[in-house]
Amino acid sequence: MKAVLDTNVIYAALRSNRGASFAVLQALRAGRFQMALSVALCLEYEDVLLRDPPPIPADAVQDILDYLVSISLKPALSFNWRPQLRDPKDELVLELAVHGQCPYIVTFNTRDFAGCERFGVQAITPAQFLALLGGTP
């Protein structure tokens, strides 16, 4: 199974080791699914995670981002059909899901991805994604 993790999921996972977001990262680490990542999304992760105050120390953020880059799928992207969503930052997540052939975008903001179904992508919450993986938070 493949998915794109929205920035809010990564942030929530680093703020607390309780809950679905952290469990999603644990499932990724255990190899239960593959994550797609682009340079643009990784830079967004870094920007959000290093804002004051960061959820964890800055050097730990960098280590986690390095790990995510090392294990993620990195599909080639093209930008032929923008805009589809209201927020340009959400567009890069949708494009990554489409080009990475990821059927899921894992996010807390599922409404922001309304219409992504026409690309064969479903926006679901971390708890819903864990249920698909056969786990619970």
Side-chain angles (χ1 to χ4, degrees):
M1 185 177 306
K2 295 191 283 186
V4 176
L5 303 181
D6 198 4
T7 307
N8 55 43
V9 174
I10 301 294
Y11 186 84
L14 298 185
R15 282 189 47 99
S16 173
N17 63 358
R18 301 176 189 179
S21 295
F22 186 80
V24 166
L25 284 189
Q26 292 299 96
L28 176 65
R29 186 171 171 232
R32 294 176 56 204
F33 74 98
Q34 292 182 298
M35 172 184 161
L37 187 62
S38 66
V39 171
L41 185 56
C42 188
L43 290 173
E44 181 179 308
Y45 287 174
E46 182 178 49
D47 176 52
V48 170
L49 295 174
L50 293 178
R51 287 183 189 157
D52 288 327
I56 60 175
D59 57 336
V61 168
Q62 292 299 333
D63 290 344
I64 290 168
L65 292 176
D66 289 345
Y67 174 73
L68 292 177
V69 167
S70 74
I71 64 164
S72 295
L73 303 169
K74 297 157 199 85
L77 302 178
S78 62
F79 307 99
N80 297 331
W81 38 264
R82 281 189 181 193
Q84 295 294 320
L85 305 172
R86 293 179 298 200
D87 184 347
K89 289 185 179 182
D90 292 336
E91 293 279 358
L92 68 93
V93 174
L94 176 58
E95 288 169 349
L96 180 58
V98 171
H99 291 289
Q101 299 176 341
C102 299
Y104 302 104
I105 294 172
V106 183
T107 182
F108 287 106
N109 302 323
T110 56
R111 290 184 299 163
D112 292 348
F113 293 94
C116 69
E117 299 81 16
R118 68 179 159 256
F119 295 98
V121 177
Q122 184 180 4
I124 60 175
T125 66
Q128 291 169 321
F129 188 64
L130 283 176
L132 289 173
L133 292 175
T136 58

